[in-house]
Amino acid sequence: MGKRIVITGVPGVGKTTVVNGALEQLKGEGIEYRSLNFGTFMFEVAEAEGMVKDRDGMRKLDRDQQKRLQKAAAQKMAQIPGNVIIDTHCTVKTPKGFLAGLPEWVLRELQPDMVVLVETDEDQILSRRLNDPTRTRDMEGSREIAFHQEFNRSMAAAYAMVSGCTISVVKNQDHLLEQAVARMADVLR
Ligand code: AMP
Ligand code: MG
């Protein structure tokens, strides 16, 4: 059986950067993971159906539409064998409140071995968002970002209770990317 690791973190924390670094390192050791992006699987369906123009539009869709896309994405990803990393969100901040990224039926499909929380200080996340013109990020203050990260920890505890997965925290602090990559590689090894 391959390993199934779910990587989460608030937008802008640098999940993708840390994971890519760690995968590079592990490749040299003969450990391979296939890296999947939950949002991309959802967006393929959403775009084909003309629901949204870009991936950042999906969190503004009706809750039922988001749940349908989420389910379709989880079913597709569950088919993929071998060691798999799933880049996603513990919770998605929608206009109607936080939506669980891994509700019970998604956990049942994916059966993750571990959920990783990538975190850093809220003021660092704020400045990373301000410096990323490629994405349509919501404007939030650092207190809201701090709350979102805290809430994600609570949700991760719920995921552990439902699925029996373990939870790991990887810090991705400014100027310490190498440390974050090394820690992520450890977690994935
Ligand atoms: P990302 O590129 O990781 O920021 O993901 C883009 C978008 O995909 C997010 O803003 C969400 O709308 C959606 N998304 C990703 N993962 C999930 C999930 N597990 N549940 C619901 N929506 C998700
Ligand atoms: Mg990303």
Side-chain angles (χ1 to χ4, degrees):
M1 256 302 262
K3 281 195 210 161
R4 307 177 81 79
I5 314 284
V6 172
I7 314 285
T8 70
V10 297
V13 73
K15 297 183 289 291
T16 318
T17 311
V18 174
V19 165
N20 288 346
L23 291 184
E24 188 76 15
Q25 197 163 312
L26 292 174
K27 214 171 187 173
E29 300 170 24
I31 303 169
E32 299 264 1
Y33 275 90
R34 181 145 168 213
S35 176
L36 310 176
N37 188 300
F38 203 118
T40 301
F41 276 75
M42 286 175 62
F43 184 56
E44 275 168 16
V45 178
E47 197 183 26
E49 296 186 11
M51 295 164 83
V52 285
K53 291 190 305 289
D54 65 65
R55 59 196 294 119
D56 289 313
M58 291 192 294
R59 65 176 177 270
K60 316 273 178 183
L61 291 169
D62 285 353
R63 190 186 57 138
D64 287 342
Q65 286 179 314
Q66 290 188 60
K67 285 167 71 179
R68 187 168 64 79
L69 295 170
Q70 193 179 42
K71 194 163 202 165
Q75 283 168 348
K76 275 194 199 157
M77 287 185 286
Q79 309 292 317
I80 297 170
N83 290 338
V84 171
I85 278 176
I86 298 162
D87 180 330
T88 184
H89 297 270
C90 235
T91 65
V92 177
K93 199 167 186 181
T94 81
K96 296 270 169 71
F98 291 116
L99 182 81
L102 305 165
E104 178 266 333
W105 67 84
V106 170
L107 288 172
R108 213 185 310 129
E109 290 287 350
L110 298 180
Q111 298 191 32
D113 296 289
M114 187 193 297
V115 172
V116 181
L117 294 155
V118 183
E119 297 179 348
T120 194
D121 299 348
E122 53 272 15
D123 50 339
Q124 296 181 359
I125 292 167
L126 185 61
S127 69
R128 289 177 200 173
R129 286 185 190 174
L130 292 171
N131 290 317
D132 179 4
T134 67
R135 298 293 297 265
T136 315
R137 308 287 198 197
D138 290 328
M139 230 8 254
E140 324 181 80
S142 55
R143 285 207 185 150
E144 280 175 277
I145 295 170
F147 179 74
H148 193 181
Q149 290 201 116
E150 269 173 43
F151 190 67
N152 283 345
R153 282 194 173 201
S154 314
M155 289 299 273
Y159 300 155
M161 289 300 293
V162 169
S163 72
C165 67
T166 55
I167 307 293
S168 293
V169 178
V170 172
K171 292 268 173 231
N172 182 28
Q173 291 171 290
D174 281 355
H175 318 297
L176 294 172
L177 179 62
E178 270 172 49
Q179 259 184 36
V181 166
R183 165 97 176 109
M184 182 67 83
D186 258 352
V187 157
L188 297 174
R189 224 173 242 116

